[in-house]
Amino acid sequence: MDTPETVLQKIIQMQESNGYSDQQMADRIGCSRPLYQRTRTSKIPMGGTFLKGAMKLLETPAMEGRKSVASRKTRETNINLELNLDGTGNYAINTGIKMFDHLLAQVVRHGLIDIKLDANGDDIHHIVEDVAIVLGRAFNQALGEKRGIVRMANVSVPMDETLVNIAVDISGRGYAVLNMNFSNNDMTGFPADLVRHFLETFAIEARINLHASIVYGTNDHHKAEALFKALGRALDAAMKVDPRIAGELPSTKAFLES
Ligand SMILES: [Mn+2]
C-alpha cells in the first residue's frame, strides 16, 4: 500500500510525463485547481478526497481522451467551456450571438470536436475575443504534450463563389498570418473584422501557427463560414494521432512547447 507521499510523487510524475496542467490534474483527481496546487507543493497535507481520487487515477493509467474544462470571468465576460478534441462533432453553443454560434458550430462539426460553451458579456467584441482566448487555451491544454500528432495540415474549402485556404502547424508557437478581404455585405450585424480578430487571438492562445486566406469570393457570410469550416478541418487533420509515431513528439528537436 502506497503512502500518501508516494502517491503524491507518482501523481507529480504523471503530470510531468503527460504535460498536464494543474487544472487537468485537478479535473482527473476530482478536486479544485487551488487544492491540487497546494497539495502538489505540499503547502497543505493530502486530504481524503485527493488521496482517493489520486489512487483511482493511478490505477487507470490508460490514455484518456484529450479533454479540457475552462472557465473565465472578467468584468466584461463570463465564459464556461467543456472541450473534447476526440469527439464526434456534438455541440451546445450559446454565446448570445447567432452568427458567432453558427461559425463556432462549423469548427466543431468539421473538426469532430465536442463542445459545451456558454458565454455572455457586455459587448460583441469582448465576447468574441474572450471566447477565442478561452477556446485557444483549452485547445492547447487538451493537446497536452502533443505526442503522436500529425502536427501540420492544410485544407482548401469552397463555399459557392468563395474559396479559402487554411494551413496550420500545431507548433507550440502562436502566430497568425491572415490574408482576408471582406466586403461588409452580409453578416447580419456581425462585424467582419471580428472573424479576423477571432482567428488571430485563437492562434496565439492555442499556440498554433495559422495561415488563413480568402482566395476569392463575394459574399461575407460565405467567406466567414468557409474559414471556420476550414479551421475545423485543418485542426482535425493536424491533431490526429498517427499510430506510426504514437508516443513520439513530432519534432526533430524532440520538443514542442505546450
Ligand atoms: Mn480586441
Side-chain angles (χ1 to χ4, degrees), residues 5-24:
E5 285 76 17
T6 341
V7 169
L8 188 59
Q9 271 171 18
K10 286 183 181 172
I11 285 292
I12 291 168
Q13 205 170 40
M14 174 187 275
Q15 178 172 19
E16 281 171 1
S17 61
N18 287 288
Y20 291 142
S21 67
D22 285 343
Q23 182 67 60
Q24 286 174 308

Side-chain angles (χ1 to χ4, degrees), residues 3 36 42 50 71 98 103 136 151 175 200 229 253:
T3 63
Y36 177 76
S42 300
F50 188 107
S71 293
K98 267 199 164 160
L103 292 175
R151 198 183 135 178
Y175 201 104
E200 183 177 66
K229 281 177 175 165
K253 284 189 288 194

